[in-house]
Amino acid sequence: MATGYLYHELYEWHDTGTHASLLPADSRRGLQPFRHFENADPKRRAHALVVTSGLINRLTRLTPRRATDEEILLVHTAHHLQRLTKANDTGGDAGDGGTPFGRGSFDIARLALGGLIDSVKAVADRYVDNAYALFRPPGHHAVPDSGMGFCMLANIAVAVRAVRRSHDVRRVAVVDIDVHHGNGTQTVFWEDPDVLTLSLHQDQAFPKNSGFLTERGGGAGFGHNLNLPLPPGTGNGGYSEAMRRVVLPALRRFRPELIMVAAGFDASALDPLGRMMLTATGFRQIATMLVDAADELSDGRIVCAHEGGYAEAYVPFCTHAVIETLARVERPFEDPFRFDTLGQQELQPHQKAAIKAAEKLVKDVQHP
Amino acid sequence: MATGYLYHELYEWHDTGTHASLLPADSRRGLQPFRHFENADPKRRAHALVVTSGLINRLTRLTPRRATDEEILLVHTAHHLQRLTKANDTGGDAGDGGTPFGRGSFDIARLALGGLIDSVKAVADRYVDNAYALFRPPGHHAVPDSGMGFCMLANIAVAVRAVRRSHDVRRVAVVDIDVHHGNGTQTVFWEDPDVLTLSLHQDQAFPKNSGFLTERGGGAGFGHNLNLPLPPGTGNGGYSEAMRRVVLPALRRFRPELIMVAAGFDASALDPLGRMMLTATGFRQIATMLVDAADELSDGRIVCAHEGGYAEAYVPFCTHAVIETLARVERPFEDPFRFDTLGQQELQPHQKAAIKAAEKLVKDVQHP
Amino acid sequence: MATGYLYHELYEWHDTGTHASLLPADSRRGLQPFRHFENADPKRRAHALVVTSGLINRLTRLTPRRATDEEILLVHTAHHLQRLTKANDTGGDAGDGGTPFGRGSFDIARLALGGLIDSVKAVADRYVDNAYALFRPPGHHAVPDSGMGFCMLANIAVAVRAVRRSHDVRRVAVVDIDVHHGNGTQTVFWEDPDVLTLSLHQDQAFPKNSGFLTERGGGAGFGHNLNLPLPPGTGNGGYSEAMRRVVLPALRRFRPELIMVAAGFDASALDPLGRMMLTATGFRQIATMLVDAADELSDGRIVCAHEGGYAEAYVPFCTHAVIETLARVERPFEDPFRFDTLGQQELQPHQKAAIKAAEKLVKDVQHP
Amino acid sequence: MATGYLYHELYEWHDTGTHASLLPADSRRGLQPFRHFENADPKRRAHALVVTSGLINRLTRLTPRRATDEEILLVHTAHHLQRLTKANDTGGDAGDGGTPFGRGSFDIARLALGGLIDSVKAVADRYVDNAYALFRPPGHHAVPDSGMGFCMLANIAVAVRAVRRSHDVRRVAVVDIDVHHGNGTQTVFWEDPDVLTLSLHQDQAFPKNSGFLTERGGGAGFGHNLNLPLPPGTGNGGYSEAMRRVVLPALRRFRPELIMVAAGFDASALDPLGRMMLTATGFRQIATMLVDAADELSDGRIVCAHEGGYAEAYVPFCTHAVIETLARVERPFEDPFRFDTLGQQELQPHQKAAIKAAEKLVKDVQHP
Ligand SMILES: [Zn+2]
Ligand SMILES: [Zn+2]
Ligand SMILES: [Zn+2]
Ligand SMILES: [Zn+2]
């Protein structure tokens, strides 16, 4: 049983500048210089915990290389590739005005994507049984012609297309637990019946007007995009129920050969951008269900790609819990933050209602 | 029409150390050194915005002095006073193991409290019509014998007792909008019919097992403590409803001579500790209702004391909106963060139910 | 006896981005994102000390306004003005590739310069006796057609021209104690016999090939530019000697009506960019000599404009010592850093030699 | 040819608290909370450069373990061991009031020391040819009964004693290039003729009254402690001369079986604590001379232990140059900071005089 683990120090070097958390510093708008939410700390500290807890000794280190133009063009337009290539020397924005990056950041984005592609292939090849890719920048908001929401490249979408091209893998399920809607992945695979895209997210958080239950895929892909917008304030109980009622049944119907997880941690109870209440316990429960599903359905093949998550001190513990689950660690490292007892961690009726609405759509998921 | 404004640079110097956001850094527990949530930045930046926006020119600056032992003993025990006095030279913890402070921090806590006392007296004296006290450390969790939850001294409680002693003020209402339960204030005035303590907070967030609807005051004070635990995820709509259905009716029945506001901003949509969704718009609405209530009931006398709030980039805009409201600024400064359109900002049925439960208790509020 | 004091919170908002101290972050060159040496902290903390020590109560606060185009054009070219004006909306570089700035930074640069102009005029008008202007960005490297070395505008040069235009002031001496050569001021007044520019600096530190003894002014201005390059490692003793042997005699010969001081603190013993050893004691000695010279020569008229200085924890104490001297505070605040006893703080023979070489040039300073 | 490289993520977790660079934050002394000079960044960033430049691929990673009590007692007193053991749960100070540490920091200090001991043994065993140990906390100021100057344990001294006990190594030379005097190592080996301790440092910087030429060792050790205090402002030229005139001749006379280097980088041109001007070029020159000396004298056996160095952006390049030298990298990574051309980088006469004074003492170094 081997779990691949991807990390590279250069992921810490992606530069998002002196923002006021989200917005460019601007004295005229009252925005004093500070740091960007999407800075290196949450992921740097997550990696540090993986090392210092000793978990690293249970993992197989994977070494990244830069994704090629050809790989990027599997999903992205030449226009977007050109934009990033040109701005790599000066820094710039990836397209939506909210995705700043610095000198050399596109090299780093390539190193993240290339690392993910190879992680997926390592699982497809059975070099490792499953894998966790811890990197920056994230990917699930990027669309073919533009970066978006801190994402420069559509990491998971490209990796899925790449592995389907190189390996005998057809049916892929992408489970997105980032607190924001996985709009980029949805867009790329909108008409593709062979990729089931599932997104659990906070109702209408980001992007605007995106992530509704009614977005179900188009053409041959109808039914194979499934959004489950959850009410703000949803905790471990609500997420577990959503997994049990919607995600797992959908996966069982679809029978993927590979499960990809958009592993955002901005649904944690300490995240400044999300309003959810997941704890390390909740993330562990979700991961356990997904690993079990992979055992049952995809011969254990599951790859997690790190997405958002901005709680510098807490992302490490949540990430650690997921990686421990992949690696089937028996005695997990203790989460010193005690947020399991927050009020309303258990499933609430209004959350149940939202989940039930999505549950009805599961029947349209087919084994393609 | 004059609004008093209290701030002092020393409030930025209160030292909470290299915590992992909430917990003491400890390599053995996986807690890499970082910063404490309750560091100077949110309030420092709030003051900076008040200055740079020009709002400062509409305000009357109030100058703090240190609270005396005698004032502190109006609420606190000699034991607690002694603990803080002794640890002022070395730094220490204010009593609950979660309220770290540095060398000289007790001097700063005195400067905050002294400033608040004088702000309240300035309003009682009609030197200013109302006032905003922007300081650290916060106060609403501190109990007579101990600090708690980042609070060293029970700022509002002491100020209320002080002004009642020095001025012809008897009936005081304390409205606590910090995302956490105002347990300290509740404790101090538990049996006091002349102080109406109202706390709107996230259900069972902090402290543990505190802030329930069923905590209503004791003895002669029964009915004059009113907790309104709101579900995590409550936004501008839910808070407005809670104000209209519970807080304002209770204030009207009680007819305070002075309204104190425990102005925490950790119910903001970007707070890492709270799970609520208030925006500057929502805080402005709350403040407007409270200012109107003061006009109607307490001859305009209202004093806001800053409590929690940990979103470094967003606390400034929320604070600014409240101060603008006190100062009756016609053309408010624009909030560049656009979180008013987050999903479920409007009142939700389950929030309405929680509010209705509290509404039933309003009838027991009396004009004392 | 009144000392004017200029500061504005917006000076903290000038944004120099995520540099690796000096160089733009760039993963390909090994430059991990960090902060720029010229960030807000040294000056923000200096102001904080002025407030918290109580020194502020001895000072007359001056309020800045933005310098006008017309004022800027007293020194700068239309080309440079246009460059800054255009880049104010986006951020950019002030011309040398090493002077980054952010959105709205040019507004702040105007607010610094406008504040300095008015500070100088306040002294010329005898509204205050002398003044200290604590601001960012600095100015002494900027040349007419370009910013340079973190300086966007030639603050002192513009202020000197402005006051000479508006007031009955002709002879101005500029004493530059920043660790780097005051090349901008030198350039502006190169041929002007009425402005004596004196720069004490670390030999060949910045800019390259600048600041030599042999640069003496041109045309009618010959002899009225005096550079004193000091060996790296010079401390309180060497600086005192330089003041006594060169600066004071030159001032006495010149008989200025106004003394301007380019008050950089990067010659401090803890500065990361300079290699000198001045302590608060040394800065106090220099300031005392200059204040005495002003008393003797310019009817007490002396204005200090803050330039460089990058030791976040020590700049406050050095700045404080200079302001105390202007305000003739009898009992100075104690410097808790004990660097007066560093080895070789006293005058060294090789420093003496360098000073003597400059001393010979003093004879060419004339009363114009 | 193999170069061992020791690093562990836990070295970043040693917690030195919210100091004002050097001194404990204290509002009453004007010391606003900030960070300690000896924080994780300089070394964390040095390691990051080693990884991202690809140098890591030329190195043999060494894995640390914690030093045992028995090893610590090779140099330290039971009293000091007990002090650190007791304070490991709470944090404290290592004995001089200027060496703060946090919870679990003693575990990290053990991990540094244990790693160094094993690095030295790996070289003695010829598992690797030479080694670089990059860790925190530093060690060269610690004396047997106390920590001092940010140093908790006398790392090099313990490692020397340990390897002499376990291996057939008798004569060890310790060359200390940290900008401060290596007083701890001097103290431990004061009377030991078999350990030649050489310290190049800034004259009388730290500790006070320490590091004089006249401190030459006692008893049988006389002549085998050699201090070379250099004038502040010394650059690449002065250091090279000192190496050529004093260090190399002394090494040749002594004929060590092992060379230890106390590799501090606070003599760099950007260091806030030191006043020297070494650049990556200068450090490379020093390292080259030492590596050549090791080739000539000690069969190539040389181990560098990282000591001080506080320039977050520049320490990485200096460290990198030294490690490249150990690993005999032909095409070094470019230093983007251009400080080789600072004025007076070349040897100055007054530096030459200081070096000559030390040169006279070399004759008393004997092959023991
Ligand atoms: Zn997200
Ligand atoms: Zn709170
Ligand atoms: Zn300078
Ligand atoms: Zn040192």
Side-chain angles (χ1 to χ4, degrees):
Chain A
M1 178 63 219
T3 293
Y5 175 67
L6 176 73
Y7 188 75
H8 194 281
E9 275 73 4
L10 267 175
Y11 299 151
E12 302 172 11
W13 295 47
H14 167 46
D15 184 9
T16 48
T18 46
H19 280 56
S21 295
L22 263 186
L23 300 174
D26 189 337
S27 59
R28 300 158 310 172
R29 301 174 70 202
L31 296 161
Q32 190 170 10
F34 192 55
R35 62 202 322 233
H36 199 288
F37 276 140
E38 211 295 295
N39 63 65
D41 274 354
K43 292 176 185 176
R44 182 175 67 72
R45 293 168 63 97
H47 172 67
L49 184 59
V50 168
V51 173
T52 59
S53 74
L55 175 56
I56 192 82
N57 302 319
R58 302 283 294 266
L59 306 174
T60 302
R61 281 298 287 265
L62 303 174
T63 306
R65 46 98 199 162
R66 292 189 197 163
T68 64
D69 285 359
E70 195 192 1
E71 288 170 327
I72 291 167
L73 292 168
L74 288 172
V75 162
H76 291 288
T77 61
H79 166 253
H80 184 53
L81 173 60
Q82 197 176 5
R83 173 198 351 239
L84 297 179
T85 303
K86 277 173 73 174
N88 195 35
D89 279 344
T90 54
D93 185 274
D96 70 335
T99 309
F101 61 88
R103 288 170 171 82
S105 275
F106 183 40
D107 292 346
I108 299 171
R110 283 183 191 264
L111 199 70
L113 174 54
L116 180 61
I117 293 170
D118 285 2
S119 298
V120 173
K121 291 184 177 177
V123 169
D125 286 336
R126 282 291 180 221
Y127 170 67
V128 290
D129 295 281
N130 56 32
Y132 194 96
L134 175 48
F135 54 51
R136 298 170 67 223
H140 72 145
H141 294 308
V143 291
D145 196 41
S146 180
M148 190 171 166
F150 320 160
C151 301
M152 295 176 69
L153 295 170
N155 300 322
I156 288 180
V158 174
V160 166
R161 288 221 169 133
V163 73
R164 289 174 71 191
R165 178 163 296 208
S166 63
H167 285 70
D168 186 26
V169 170
R170 187 163 61 92
R171 294 182 313 281
V172 181
V174 183
V175 181
D176 190 322
I177 61 169
D178 187 278
V179 83
H180 303 108
H181 178 224
N183 64 294
T185 325
Q186 166 178 305
T187 297
V188 173
F189 299 112
W190 186 250
E191 301 197 347
D192 188 337
D194 290 339
V195 179
L196 174 66
T197 47
L198 285 148
S199 178
L200 273 66
H201 48 262
Q202 181 181 326
D203 186 21
Q204 298 174 69
F206 183 85
K208 292 268 171 274
N209 298 317
S210 177
F212 296 103
L213 211 66
T214 50
E215 299 164 13
R216 304 189 58 195
F222 179 81
H224 283 188
N225 183 71
L226 214 162
N227 287 325
L228 175 31
L230 291 165
T234 300
N236 292 337
Y239 268 91
S240 272
E241 180 80 359
M243 290 297 298
R244 265 191 299 266
R245 295 257 178 192
V246 180
V247 177
L248 297 181
L251 290 176
R252 287 199 187 99
R253 292 183 65 90
F254 182 74
R255 305 220 307 270
E257 292 155 274
L258 168 68
I259 297 175
M260 298 291 300
V261 183
F265 293 92
D266 38 15
S268 91
L270 281 166
D271 199 84
L273 262 182
R275 301 291 86 192
M276 301 310 219
M277 304 204 303
L278 281 172
T279 64
T281 306
F283 281 106
R284 191 184 303 276
Q285 288 166 342
I286 292 171
T288 301
M289 290 189 233
L290 289 169
V291 165
D292 289 350
D295 283 349
E296 178 190 333
L297 302 168
S298 60
D299 203 18
R301 281 191 287 262
I302 179 168
V303 177
C304 298
H306 204 114
E307 298 282 353
Y310 308 102
E312 293 93 348
Y314 199 48
V315 164
F317 292 96
C318 300
T319 306
H320 199 270
V322 170
I323 303 177
E324 282 177 333
T325 307
L326 291 177
R328 297 171 205 253
V329 170
E330 301 76 27
R331 298 178 54 189
F333 195 81
E334 192 183 354
D335 170 12
F337 292 89
R338 311 291 171 86
F339 285 94
D340 288 350
T341 57
L342 274 181
Q344 311 199 7
Q345 273 290 20
E346 62 281 11
L347 175 67
Q348 302 294 307
H350 67 287
Q351 295 162 1
K352 187 157 197 165
I355 293 164
K356 280 202 166 162
E359 197 178 0
K360 289 180 193 147
L361 310 181
V362 172
K363 69 174 182 348
D364 292 328
V365 177
Q366 311 291 342
H367 177 63
Chain B
M1 177 63 216
T3 293
Y5 175 67
L6 175 75
Y7 188 75
H8 195 280
E9 275 73 4
L10 267 176
Y11 299 152
E12 302 172 11
W13 296 46
H14 167 47
D15 184 9
T16 49
T18 45
H19 280 56
S21 295
L22 264 186
L23 300 173
D26 189 338
S27 58
R28 299 157 312 172
R29 300 175 71 202
L31 297 161
Q32 189 171 11
F34 192 56
R35 62 203 322 235
H36 199 287
F37 276 140
E38 212 295 295
N39 63 66
D41 273 354
K43 292 176 185 175
R44 182 176 67 72
R45 294 169 62 97
H47 173 67
L49 184 60
V50 167
V51 173
T52 59
S53 74
L55 175 55
I56 192 83
N57 302 319
R58 303 282 295 266
L59 306 173
T60 302
R61 282 296 287 267
L62 303 174
T63 305
R65 46 97 198 163
R66 294 190 195 164
T68 62
D69 285 359
E70 193 192 0
E71 288 169 326
I72 291 167
L73 293 168
L74 287 173
V75 162
H76 291 287
T77 60
H79 166 253
H80 183 53
L81 174 59
Q82 196 176 4
R83 173 198 350 240
L84 298 178
T85 303
K86 277 174 74 174
N88 195 37
D89 280 343
T90 54
D93 185 274
D96 70 334
T99 308
F101 61 88
R103 287 170 170 82
S105 275
F106 183 40
D107 291 347
I108 299 171
R110 284 183 191 264
L111 198 70
L113 175 55
L116 179 61
I117 294 170
D118 286 1
S119 299
V120 173
K121 291 186 178 176
V123 169
D125 285 337
R126 283 292 180 218
Y127 171 67
V128 289
D129 295 281
N130 57 32
Y132 193 96
L134 176 47
F135 53 53
R136 299 170 67 225
H140 72 144
H141 294 310
V143 292
D145 196 41
S146 180
M148 189 172 169
F150 321 160
C151 301
M152 295 175 69
L153 296 170
N155 300 320
I156 288 179
V158 175
V160 165
R161 288 221 169 134
V163 73
R164 290 173 71 190
R165 179 165 295 207
S166 63
H167 286 70
D168 186 26
V169 171
R170 188 163 59 94
R171 295 182 312 281
V172 181
V174 183
V175 181
D176 190 324
I177 61 169
D178 187 280
V179 83
H180 303 108
H181 178 224
N183 64 295
T185 326
Q186 166 178 307
T187 298
V188 174
F189 299 112
W190 186 251
E191 301 197 348
D192 188 338
D194 291 338
V195 179
L196 174 66
T197 48
L198 284 148
S199 178
L200 274 65
H201 49 262
Q202 181 182 327
D203 186 21
Q204 297 175 69
F206 184 85
K208 293 268 172 274
N209 298 317
S210 177
F212 297 103
L213 212 64
T214 49
E215 299 163 12
R216 304 188 58 193
F222 179 81
H224 283 189
N225 183 71
L226 213 162
N227 286 325
L228 175 31
L230 290 164
T234 301
N236 292 337
Y239 269 91
S240 272
E241 181 80 358
M243 290 297 298
R244 264 191 300 268
R245 297 256 177 193
V246 181
V247 177
L248 297 181
L251 290 176
R252 286 198 188 100
R253 291 182 65 89
F254 183 74
R255 305 219 308 269
E257 292 155 274
L258 169 68
I259 298 175
M260 298 291 299
V261 183
F265 293 92
D266 38 15
S268 91
L270 281 166
D271 199 84
L273 262 183
R275 300 291 84 192
M276 301 309 218
M277 304 204 302
L278 281 173
T279 65
T281 305
F283 281 107
R284 191 183 303 278
Q285 288 167 343
I286 293 170
T288 301
M289 290 189 234
L290 290 170
V291 165
D292 289 351
D295 284 348
E296 179 190 333
L297 301 168
S298 61
D299 203 18
R301 281 191 287 261
I302 178 168
V303 177
C304 298
H306 205 114
E307 298 282 353
Y310 309 102
E312 293 93 346
Y314 198 46
V315 164
F317 292 96
C318 300
T319 306
H320 199 270
V322 169
I323 304 177
E324 282 177 333
T325 307
L326 292 178
R328 298 172 205 252
V329 170
E330 300 77 28
R331 299 179 53 190
F333 196 82
E334 191 183 355
D335 170 12
F337 293 88
R338 309 291 171 85
F339 285 93
D340 288 350
T341 57
L342 274 182
Q344 311 199 8
Q345 273 290 18
E346 63 281 11
L347 175 68
Q348 302 295 307
H350 68 289
Q351 295 162 1
K352 186 156 198 166
I355 294 163
K356 280 202 166 162
E359 197 178 1
K360 288 180 193 149
L361 311 181
V362 172
K363 69 173 181 349
D364 291 328
V365 178
Q366 312 290 345
H367 178 63
Chain C
M1 178 61 217
T3 293
Y5 175 67
L6 175 74
Y7 188 75
H8 194 281
E9 274 74 2
L10 267 175
Y11 299 150
E12 302 171 13
W13 296 47
H14 167 46
D15 184 10
T16 48
T18 45
H19 280 55
S21 294
L22 264 186
L23 299 174
D26 189 337
S27 58
R28 298 157 314 170
R29 300 175 70 203
L31 296 161
Q32 190 170 12
F34 192 56
R35 62 203 322 236
H36 198 288
F37 277 139
E38 210 295 293
N39 64 65
D41 273 355
K43 293 178 184 174
R44 181 176 68 71
R45 293 169 62 98
H47 171 68
L49 184 60
V50 168
V51 173
T52 59
S53 74
L55 175 55
I56 191 83
N57 301 320
R58 304 281 295 264
L59 307 173
T60 302
R61 281 297 286 265
L62 303 174
T63 306
R65 48 97 199 162
R66 293 189 195 163
T68 63
D69 285 359
E70 196 193 0
E71 288 169 325
I72 292 167
L73 292 168
L74 288 173
V75 163
H76 291 287
T77 61
H79 166 253
H80 183 54
L81 173 60
Q82 195 175 6
R83 175 199 348 241
L84 297 179
T85 303
K86 276 173 76 175
N88 195 34
D89 280 343
T90 53
D93 184 274
D96 70 335
T99 309
F101 61 88
R103 289 171 171 82
S105 274
F106 183 40
D107 292 346
I108 299 171
R110 284 184 190 264
L111 198 71
L113 175 54
L116 179 61
I117 294 171
D118 286 2
S119 298
V120 173
K121 292 186 177 177
V123 169
D125 285 337
R126 282 291 180 219
Y127 170 67
V128 290
D129 295 281
N130 56 31
Y132 194 96
L134 175 47
F135 53 53
R136 300 170 65 224
H140 73 144
H141 294 309
V143 291
D145 196 41
S146 181
M148 189 170 168
F150 320 161
C151 301
M152 295 175 69
L153 296 170
N155 300 320
I156 287 180
V158 175
V160 166
R161 289 222 169 133
V163 74
R164 292 174 69 191
R165 179 162 297 208
S166 63
H167 285 70
D168 187 25
V169 171
R170 187 163 61 94
R171 296 183 310 282
V172 181
V174 182
V175 181
D176 190 323
I177 60 169
D178 187 279
V179 84
H180 303 108
H181 177 224
N183 64 296
T185 326
Q186 166 178 306
T187 297
V188 174
F189 299 111
W190 186 251
E191 301 197 346
D192 188 338
D194 291 338
V195 179
L196 173 66
T197 47
L198 287 149
S199 179
L200 274 65
H201 48 262
Q202 182 182 325
D203 185 20
Q204 298 175 71
F206 183 86
K208 293 267 170 277
N209 298 317
S210 178
F212 297 103
L213 213 64
T214 50
E215 300 163 13
R216 304 189 58 194
F222 179 82
H224 283 189
N225 183 70
L226 215 161
N227 286 325
L228 176 31
L230 291 165
T234 301
N236 292 337
Y239 269 92
S240 273
E241 180 80 359
M243 289 297 299
R244 264 190 301 266
R245 295 258 178 191
V246 182
V247 177
L248 297 181
L251 290 176
R252 286 200 188 97
R253 291 182 66 88
F254 182 73
R255 304 219 307 270
E257 293 154 275
L258 168 69
I259 298 175
M260 297 292 300
V261 183
F265 293 93
D266 36 16
S268 91
L270 282 166
D271 199 85
L273 262 183
R275 301 290 84 193
M276 301 311 220
M277 304 205 302
L278 282 173
T279 64
T281 306
F283 282 107
R284 191 184 304 278
Q285 289 166 340
I286 293 171
T288 301
M289 291 190 233
L290 290 169
V291 164
D292 289 350
D295 283 349
E296 177 189 334
L297 302 168
S298 62
D299 201 18
R301 279 191 289 261
I302 179 169
V303 177
C304 298
H306 204 113
E307 297 283 353
Y310 309 102
E312 293 93 345
Y314 198 48
V315 164
F317 291 96
C318 300
T319 307
H320 199 270
V322 170
I323 304 177
E324 283 177 333
T325 307
L326 292 178
R328 299 170 203 253
V329 170
E330 300 78 25
R331 299 177 53 189
F333 195 82
E334 191 185 355
D335 170 12
F337 293 88
R338 310 291 171 86
F339 286 93
D340 287 350
T341 57
L342 274 181
Q344 311 198 8
Q345 274 291 19
E346 62 281 12
L347 177 67
Q348 301 295 308
H350 67 288
Q351 296 161 2
K352 188 158 197 165
I355 294 164
K356 281 202 164 160
E359 197 178 1
K360 291 181 193 147
L361 311 181
V362 171
K363 67 171 183 348
D364 291 327
V365 177
Q366 312 290 342
H367 178 63
Chain D
M1 179 61 218
T3 294
Y5 175 66
L6 175 75
Y7 188 74
H8 194 282
E9 275 73 3
L10 267 176
Y11 299 151
E12 303 172 12
W13 296 47
H14 167 46
D15 184 10
T16 48
T18 46
H19 280 57
S21 294
L22 265 186
L23 300 174
D26 188 337
S27 58
R28 299 156 312 172
R29 301 175 71 203
L31 297 162
Q32 190 170 10
F34 192 55
R35 60 202 324 236
H36 198 287
F37 277 139
E38 210 295 293
N39 64 65
D41 272 355
K43 293 177 185 175
R44 182 176 67 72
R45 293 169 63 98
H47 172 67
L49 185 59
V50 168
V51 173
T52 60
S53 73
L55 175 55
I56 191 83
N57 301 318
R58 302 282 295 267
L59 307 173
T60 301
R61 281 296 286 264
L62 303 174
T63 305
R65 49 97 198 160
R66 293 188 196 165
T68 63
D69 284 359
E70 195 192 1
E71 288 169 327
I72 292 168
L73 293 168
L74 288 172
V75 163
H76 291 288
T77 60
H79 166 253
H80 184 53
L81 173 60
Q82 195 176 7
R83 176 203 342 245
L84 297 178
T85 303
K86 275 173 77 175
N88 195 34
D89 280 342
T90 54
D93 185 274
D96 70 336
T99 308
F101 61 87
R103 289 171 171 82
S105 275
F106 183 40
D107 292 346
I108 299 171
R110 283 184 191 263
L111 198 70
L113 174 54
L116 180 61
I117 293 171
D118 286 2
S119 299
V120 174
K121 293 186 177 178
V123 169
D125 286 337
R126 281 291 179 221
Y127 170 67
V128 289
D129 296 281
N130 56 31
Y132 194 96
L134 175 47
F135 53 54
R136 300 171 64 226
H140 72 144
H141 293 310
V143 292
D145 196 42
S146 181
M148 190 171 167
F150 320 161
C151 301
M152 295 175 70
L153 296 170
N155 300 318
I156 287 180
V158 175
V160 166
R161 290 221 167 132
V163 74
R164 291 173 70 191
R165 178 162 298 207
S166 63
H167 286 69
D168 186 24
V169 171
R170 187 163 62 92
R171 297 182 310 282
V172 181
V174 183
V175 181
D176 190 324
I177 61 169
D178 188 279
V179 85
H180 303 107
H181 177 224
N183 64 296
T185 325
Q186 166 177 305
T187 298
V188 173
F189 299 112
W190 186 251
E191 302 197 347
D192 187 338
D194 291 338
V195 180
L196 173 67
T197 47
L198 285 147
S199 179
L200 274 66
H201 49 262
Q202 181 181 325
D203 185 21
Q204 298 174 70
F206 183 85
K208 292 268 170 275
N209 299 318
S210 178
F212 297 103
L213 214 63
T214 50
E215 300 163 13
R216 305 189 59 193
F222 179 81
H224 283 189
N225 183 71
L226 214 160
N227 286 326
L228 174 32
L230 291 164
T234 301
N236 292 336
Y239 269 91
S240 272
E241 181 78 359
M243 289 297 299
R244 265 190 300 266
R245 296 257 177 192
V246 181
V247 177
L248 297 181
L251 290 176
R252 285 198 189 99
R253 292 181 65 87
F254 182 75
R255 303 221 307 271
E257 293 154 275
L258 168 69
I259 299 176
M260 297 293 300
V261 184
F265 294 92
D266 37 15
S268 91
L270 282 166
D271 199 85
L273 262 182
R275 303 290 84 193
M276 301 310 220
M277 304 205 302
L278 282 173
T279 64
T281 305
F283 282 106
R284 191 183 304 278
Q285 289 166 341
I286 293 171
T288 300
M289 290 189 232
L290 290 170
V291 165
D292 289 351
D295 283 349
E296 178 189 333
L297 302 168
S298 62
D299 201 19
R301 280 192 288 261
I302 178 168
V303 177
C304 298
H306 204 113
E307 297 283 353
Y310 309 101
E312 293 92 347
Y314 199 47
V315 164
F317 292 96
C318 300
T319 306
H320 199 271
V322 170
I323 304 177
E324 281 177 334
T325 307
L326 291 177
R328 298 171 204 253
V329 170
E330 300 77 26
R331 299 179 52 189
F333 195 81
E334 191 184 354
D335 170 12
F337 293 88
R338 311 290 172 87
F339 285 94
D340 287 349
T341 57
L342 274 181
Q344 311 198 9
Q345 274 291 19
E346 62 280 13
L347 176 67
Q348 302 296 306
H350 67 290
Q351 296 160 4
K352 187 157 198 165
I355 293 164
K356 281 202 165 161
E359 198 178 0
K360 289 179 194 148
L361 310 181
V362 171
K363 68 171 181 351
D364 292 326
V365 176
Q366 312 289 344
H367 177 64

